[in-house]
Amino acid sequence: MNKNVKTTLLLTLLMVFFGIHSQAQSQLKTGDLVDGIAVVVGDEIILESDIEDQATFAKQQGAAVTDKCEFVESIINNKLLIYEAKRDTLIENRSAAIKENAGQKYDQILGQFPDEKTMLATYKFRTSYEMKNAIEKIDTDNYYGQMKYGRITDKADVTPNEVTDFFNMYKFQLPEVKDEVSLSQITMYPKLTNAHKDEIIAKLNKIKQDILNGESFESQARIYSEDPGSAANGGLYKNIAKGKMVKPFEAAALNLQEGEMSDPVESDFGYHLIMLVKKSGKNYDARHILLKAEPNDEEIASAKKEMDSIRTLIMDGKLTFKDAAYRFSDDKQTKFNAGIVTAEDGSDKIEKLNLPPTIAYQIAGLNKGDITDVFQDVAQQDRKTVTIVKVDDVIAAHQLDIATDYNRIKQMALNKKKNEMVEKYVKERLPNVFISINDRYKSCVFKTDWRKTADNK
């Protein structure tokens, strides 16, 4: 119930993309698809296989891609933004960081497989280099496209009159709102007993002693670490910027000398054994071995009992849900906001179809003001939790109306204005950007006359 993308979602998206990528490769090998340059925008090249891959990927995500010419034009627009972003001195060049992060994502995915060969075979990549390049390309385009879009639309805003005008003009075209709910939650992480903590710490101390006796930190990380993002890489994280890691980890790492190893360190992720590899200015390299603090059945039962007591106080009117969330919730994203759960766009209205299955099941049949029984769930970093959820509101499916959906309509009007600003920017930049389109798209009628621009170079 948080806004951060979970590892499983990342892996699913990458699986879909890589599956598409491999299909295009196999088509190339069998001669079904003759690959080549479809479009050149500045020094950005769009291959025929890129267009096929992105179209298939869009369809997999539920988008309608019925007009290939329209789809190609959207890709050209995006590439022009990316080309301009790379030339914009106010946009930070993050190529090195993106490349490093691509390697870390690769290692994170690798941690889900028994070995590299199995992973590459699953994603249909021939080499690790090829797969890392694919990840890096996705991240690079996303970064530069988003940064340039943000720079162009930074000062965009709409007045109440503009929102009203937008609604009056498009109200018969606006989508219907599906069934929604507004929810609040109180989430607690079951606390480990001292005996359980001591057991984990003792295991880490044993690993540390084995390393001091000659075992390599890297090999022990591969064997014991429960961090999917680094275990396969010997526990290594490179070029870590200060502030990126959780505070206990960073404090311990930066208090070490190069080559020195910490005692067990506790964080929200579990318990770490950390070795500082290198310090370089504001960045550092470190290896770690993570043992997650997984609660056992007894500890989960104890947390459920405590949460049930809190629920009883709320139901009896002795404690408000808002105060209980602030006092007892371990979810930092909601505890300071009266426990209110927000969607990706920041709204407190969430479509029922987009609810996690566990939450959807728990609130089924409940009405406004009802509170679920205590139930077990899984939160960020796959940590086990015990949770109660309050149904703050139930909104039936309806046509958008400015009286009840003003903020949503305002966002739509703002998005329209932003898109118009980007469209204007693209047209202004066209005379200064080389664009070449393959003749196989000569029958396309584009909104922007890309060919005329190219011919006039």
Side-chain angles (χ1 to χ4, degrees), residues 285-314:
D285 297 351
R287 293 186 188 274
H288 84 135
I289 296 170
L290 170 69
L291 296 184
K292 293 181 179 179
E294 287 282 355
N296 57 36
D297 291 344
E298 180 183 342
E299 291 158 343
I300 292 172
S302 177
K304 283 183 176 179
K305 184 177 180 180
E306 181 181 359
M307 182 67 84
D308 194 53
S309 298
I310 295 168
R311 182 181 183 278
T312 299
L313 290 173
I314 296 170

Side-chain angles (χ1 to χ4, degrees), residues 56 118 150 181 211 303 314 351 445:
T56 307
T118 303
V181 288
I211 294 170
I314 296 170
E351 284 189 11
V445 179

